[in-house]
Every structure is written in structure tokens, then in C-alpha cells.
Amino acid sequence: MSDLALEHLTKIYPGSETPAVEGVSLNVESGSLTALLGPSACGKSTILKMIAGLLTPTSGDIRFAGSSVLKQPPQSRDAVMVFQDHLLFPYLTVGENVGFGLKMRVQAKAKINRAVGEILELVQLSGLEQRKPSELSGGQQQRVALARALILRPRILLLDEPFSNLDESLRLEMQTLLKSLHAEMKTTMLFVTHDQEEAITLADKIALLLSGRLRQYDIPQNLYNHPKDREVAQFFGARNFISGRVEAGKFDCPLGQIVLPENAPADGRLLTIRPENIVIGSNASSDNSFPATIASKKFLGSQTRLELDATGQELTVLLSPNIAESLQAGTEIIIQLPRQSLWVLP
Ligand code: ADP
């Protein structure tokens, strides 16, 4: 069942000519963890705020479990938003911050205390009930913000770049926590991020937005390996684009004839292969093998990047530094483009 549906959602800010969000339609499955991914200013936060009721759409509809919520104020929508800068009440203790929403709903003190204890255990903050936010680390504050939202058991939890202010190791820790909270509570979660790695690691499905439009909504593997078009491919780090045309199951291009995977679209004009999927040093007689010259080599840490010239076609390859060690700029090599790693774009 779809818990949240966006239908042709559009937002044009007053005084602006171009829509910040344009015609976005999306069905978010009940209990899923979905990423709203895209570069800065592509409209991600605007969508989240419209769902939460903090902004009114210019047109389109937002449905929770089938019913439009456009006429409902934020507090009556069953959606809670967690912001990047967690906005805790500085003079309240951790326990009071977390219990605040239940207190507003006039629940009995004993019940609130029990719920606070349970949720703090889930976010691994037991024992810190009496601390003030200023006595917590950034990661702990973000946990309090999560607990404060989750205690309300919302139908939908909205997270706006929840971990972008945290350093790398803390971010990984919080991602793991979010994943386990999601598994435990089965709340429908929609989180905004500009970080494709974060989206790939966490999300069941990713909605990729570019310039206010939804460009692809799919499982992470498909956005990565089967992008819909060149821009989506580029956003996911694709570098190799070979122009040509499909003729009888092969791709005719300056490199020669490349044998395509079955079911490749006959009208494709662009072939792409991810830099990590190009094989170096294969046998010249095996399928899809071509000569190339190494134009440059760059050590990147966990990988080494080679820029190749294959009969005038520029190709980027990423490979393990061990394998790259014996290769130098100027060396002539044989590369193989494995058939199953090829993807044809319109
Ligand atoms: P993202 O979250 O993807 O970074 P936003 O949704 O914040 O993007 O913004 C999308 C676009 O809308 C941007 O061009 C931004 O400048 C514009 N925008 C955001 N908020 C407002 C506002 N209150 N008034 C006018 N324009 C805005």
C-alpha cells in the first residue's frame, strides 16, 4: 500500500518565475525508507515542507493513505519532520525535550515517562534524561531530535539532511542507527540528502530530483546501473559515454563494434559503462576487447584512476592500486568492455 502519494506537485515561490518543484508524482510505499536525492537547490526541502504542511503547494495534491491532506494544518497531519539543525529546547532536559510532543497531547505523566524511557533506549541514550542539550555531543543531540519525533509514532517521518552536519564517523553511526530504528518501528521514512552514497546505503528506493523535476524513482541498483538518461547517469558518477548507433545487436562506434547485452534498445545512441567495470589486460581476441593507451594515472587512495585513449575515445577506468602499480602513462594495453556491464541510453 502507498502511505504517501504526491500527485503533480508543483511549487512556485512568490516572485519567482521558475518552479522550485514541478509536476512531481511519487508513491511512497508503507513502511519503506525512501531517499529524496539531488544536488543543492533542486527542490528537496520544498517537497518535504509541503508534505509536513509548512508550505502550501501551488498545484497538485498530497495524499496520506489515499486521502488528501492539503486542507489539514501541520499538527493534524500524521507526519513529523526532523531538521538538520535539530532545534532542541535549550532549557529543557533531554527527557523533557523528548516528551514534549506527548505533553502537548495532554498525556498522563507516568505514560510519558515510560514512553520517553523506551524511546531513549532505542536511540541508545538511556541514562542521559537529565542532561541539557548543551551537555550533549552533536550526534547525541541528533539522537534526541530523532527520539522526539519517533515518540509521536507518526505515520510518516520526514528527515531533512539529518546527518549532514556530522563528521564522517558519526554520520556512519547515525546511518546505522536510522536503519535499525526503521527496521524496529517500520515507520514510513522519507529523508532528504544530496549525498548519493548515503542514499544508496540507506534507502529502499531513491527519488532523484534535478532542477525541481523527478528524473528517476527506483531501487538504488537501478539508478546506479540502469540510469534512465545521461544526466541521471552523470549524477551517479558515470563518466564514460560512447556515441554511436545500434545495428543488429552491436553498437557501431569509433572504437569498433561492441557486442551489446540482450534487450538493448535498438534506438540507443549512447553507450555507457561504469569506470570500475572496464577490465584491463584482457586477451585481444575475447569479445569487446580494444586497444587503448594510458593517457594519465592518478592515485586516489582506495582506487587508482586511469584516463585512456581508445582510438580517440576517452575512457575513465577505476581499478585497485595493486593492479595499477605496473601500469604507466604511455603504456599500450588491451581493455575489455564486459557485455553485461554495458548500458545503452537514448
Ligand atoms: P534543496 O532542498 O534541494 O537544496 P530547496 O527546496 O531548498 O532545495 O530550494 C529549491 C529552490 O527554491 C531553490 O532555487 C531555492 O532558492 C528556492 N527557494 C527555497 N525557499 C524559498 C523561499 N522561501 N522563497 C523563494 N525561493 C525559495
Side-chain angles (χ1 to χ4, degrees), residues 193-328:
T193 181
H194 62 273
D195 180 351
Q196 48 146 314
E197 224 169 279
E198 181 164 276
I200 289 173
T201 326
L202 284 180
D204 303 320
K205 269 177 114 176
I206 298 174
L208 177 68
L209 284 170
L210 297 174
S211 312
R213 287 168 172 267
L214 179 66
R215 298 297 291 272
Q216 191 164 347
Y217 179 43
D218 216 329
I219 57 171
Q221 288 87 332
N222 282 349
L223 279 150
Y224 198 77
N225 293 315
H226 300 159
K228 238 166 96 176
D229 56 40
R230 184 176 179 138
E231 275 181 284
V232 174
Q234 275 170 326
F235 188 83
F236 277 85
R239 287 226 168 67
N240 300 317
F241 296 101
I242 308 170
S243 297
R245 53 179 58 237
V246 180
E247 297 257 358
K250 291 187 176 166
F251 195 74
D252 222 349
C253 64
L255 269 178
Q257 289 205 322
I258 302 175
V259 183
L260 293 175
E262 280 157 32
N263 307 327
D267 57 352
R269 289 287 177 272
L270 205 58
L271 187 67
T272 180
I273 178 163
R274 296 200 61 91
E276 63 273 27
N277 289 337
I278 296 181
V279 178
I280 299 283
S282 90
N283 185 332
S285 63
S286 57
D287 251 2
N288 291 351
S289 291
F290 304 97
T293 306
I294 300 174
S296 68
K297 171 174 158 180
K298 179 122 181 84
F299 176 64
L300 304 175
S302 62
Q303 287 180 307
T304 294
R305 185 177 67 214
L306 301 181
E307 299 296 343
L308 306 181
D309 178 343
T311 330
Q313 171 72 48
E314 287 175 14
L315 292 173
T316 301
V317 181
L318 287 173
L319 69 174
S320 124
N322 288 342
I323 298 172
E325 208 167 49
S326 62
L327 301 169
Q328 305 305 335

Side-chain angles (χ1 to χ4, degrees), residues 27 56 68 78 80 87 104 107 115 157 185 226 248 281 315:
N27 273 313
T56 310
S68 176
D78 206 356
V80 176
L87 308 170
M104 289 296 104
Q107 296 204 357
L157 183 69
M185 305 188 78
H226 300 159
L315 292 173

Side-chain angles (χ1 to χ4, degrees), residues 13-14 16 19-21 38-47 49 55 160-161 192 209:
Y13 282 105
S16 172
V21 172
S40 175
C42 73
K44 307 180 294 292
S45 301
T46 301
I47 292 181
K49 286 178 190 155
L55 270 180
D160 193 0
E161 299 262 9
V192 156
L209 284 170

